[in-house]
Amino acid sequence: QVQLVESGGASVQPGESLTLSCAASGFTGSTYCMGWFRQVLGKEREGVATIYTGDNKTWYADAVKGRFTIARDNAKNTLYLQMNSLNAEDTAMYYCAATPWVYYGVWPPKNKYNHWGQGTQVTVSS
């Protein structure tokens, strides 16, 4: 079955950069959407960025556009989230997720993601 393992979370200062990684295994030949989500204690989990494995099309939440970049390395079966210009509002637990998907102009809602990692903590504080 699909397994996702995140790493790279850390405590950083405002303005710094950080790259999260998600090691993936167990995927079949189907196309997927793979995404990064984040959650602050007491709040709903929110989508941050998504990539479609069929053509590497991407989506970003407005709050991170221009600062975060999602990418994947097929050879290493790894998903990345490059985060620049971090601020306190980016503090959260970050989760990697995946779902089989065929993109016809619609991204999958959060509740369609059926594979999740355990999360990695990002803290931005001075």
Side-chain angles (χ1 to χ4, degrees):
Q1 67 267 22
V2 173
Q3 288 191 323
L4 303 170
V5 180
E6 303 96 332
S7 62
S11 293
V12 298
Q13 294 191 343
E16 292 187 339
S17 298
L18 196 62
T19 300
L20 304 182
S21 300
C22 173
S25 61
F27 285 95
T28 67
S30 302
T31 53
Y32 286 77
C33 274
M34 299 188 71
W36 288 97
F37 293 76
R38 65 186 182 186
Q39 187 171 22
V40 175
L41 196 62
K43 294 188 177 181
E44 280 196 22
R45 193 170 297 187
E46 63 178 6
V48 175
T50 303
I51 189 166
Y52 176 54
T53 64
D55 60 5
N56 286 330
K57 188 184 303 293
T58 58
W59 169 90
Y60 295 94
D62 287 344
V64 307
K65 276 181 184 176
R67 299 189 299 122
F68 291 11
T69 302
I70 188 171
R72 65 191 190 102
D73 185 329
N74 280 346
K76 296 181 178 180
N77 292 321
T78 302
L79 180 73
Y80 299 99
L81 185 68
Q82 171 68 42
M83 304 184 293
N84 298 327
S85 302
L86 286 161
N87 57 59
E89 287 69 39
D90 297 316
T91 295
M93 183 72 79
Y94 283 72
Y95 297 90
C96 173
T99 183
W101 196 255
V102 179
Y103 183 82
Y104 287 121
V106 177
W107 294 102
K110 180 176 57 180
N111 61 9
K112 287 293 187 182
Y113 284 83
N114 50 5
H115 305 290
W116 293 86
Q118 83 288 349
T120 186
Q121 178 68 36
V122 173
T123 302
V124 185
S125 174
S126 56

